[in-house]
Amino acid sequence: IVNLSKTAFYRMKRTRTSKAWMREHVNDTYVQLARKEGWRSRAAFKLIEMDDKDRLLRHGEVVVDLGATPGGWSQVAAKRVGDAGMVLALDLLEMEPIHNVDFIQGDFREDDVLKKLEEKLGGRRVGLVMSDMAPNMSGVPLVDQARIMHLAELGLEFSRAHLKPDGSFLVKVFQGVDYETFLRSMREVFKTVVVRKPDASRDRSAELYLLGRVLR
């Protein structure tokens, strides 16, 4: 009979889960393809697929990337808007420099960080706000969902204030508590709102992307 304390049991469970995740990650087709093509993360393929479908990243566009680190989405955006465009990226974590990407390290929830972002814009209207932000997970579903939706709401508020009239907002969300409420909020701000689930998003993941286009 093996008698494990609750702490030891959960540590073992996390370790097994972590090892399984690492095996899946290493063998992941998109992870391997990202390394081969020089993208910083497999998330680049999510944005590539959505942009190919919805034509979000236009040449010369101003783009704001919220929750940018490690930079997969910023890489794609910078390449597609070209040197005539502008990509402003923001994240709580440090990010290695990317050509044609202006990075701000800080917490989007803080007023002084938001002010820095607005100063960088210099009054220019944004063509696309994209948010792949995710909070530090507590492991408590209701708490984590509330934090995720709060970040989505902040992104929506920023978009309403800074997008061009025909601009777009692409945001990661998870189905659960407050999802329908947030979806209604999106529809109040944008003329069209669609749901996207790119192929590069893992099947077991509950993540979805909401795309709002053209301000009301």
Side-chain angles (χ1 to χ4, degrees), residues 55-175:
R55 304 298 178 189
L56 302 170
L57 296 165
R58 293 169 286 193
H59 184 76
E61 195 68 273
V62 176
V63 177
V64 173
D65 183 6
L66 303 175
T69 302
W73 277 23
S74 288
Q75 274 185 300
V76 175
K79 184 176 181 179
R80 296 200 171 192
V81 303
D83 289 342
M86 169 190 276
V87 178
L88 292 177
L90 185 148
D91 201 286
L92 186 61
L93 302 176
E94 189 176 355
M95 187 175 83
E96 290 295 319
I98 299 172
H99 174 68
N100 203 31
V101 175
D102 198 343
F103 177 68
I104 299 170
Q105 184 174 1
D107 191 333
F108 185 61
R109 295 168 296 183
E110 296 179 0
D111 290 340
D112 62 330
V113 174
L114 179 58
K115 185 177 179 181
K116 287 181 184 177
L117 183 55
E118 291 171 336
E119 288 173 352
K120 292 275 189 182
L121 285 173
R124 282 167 290 202
R125 287 287 166 176
V126 181
L128 173 65
V129 175
M130 49 190 193
S131 173
D132 204 26
M133 289 190 292
N136 292 326
M137 296 298 189
S138 68
V140 180
L142 286 176
V143 172
D144 291 337
Q145 177 70 359
R147 290 175 177 173
I148 290 165
M149 299 315 293
H150 177 59
L151 290 175
E153 288 163 1
L154 291 177
L156 178 59
E157 185 178 314
F158 177 85
S159 299
R160 183 175 3 211
H162 296 284
L163 279 177
K164 299 190 298 186
D166 64 344
S168 302
F169 176 46
L170 178 66
V171 57
K172 177 168 69 179
V173 295
F174 292 85
Q175 286 185 303

Side-chain angles (χ1 to χ4, degrees), residues 24-43:
E24 179 187 14
H25 182 74
V26 170
N27 295 322
D28 185 287
T29 301
Y30 288 104
V31 171
Q32 294 174 351
L33 195 56
R35 289 173 180 165
K36 181 179 179 181
E37 296 186 4
W39 301 111
R40 292 193 176 182
S41 71
R42 70 190 304 285

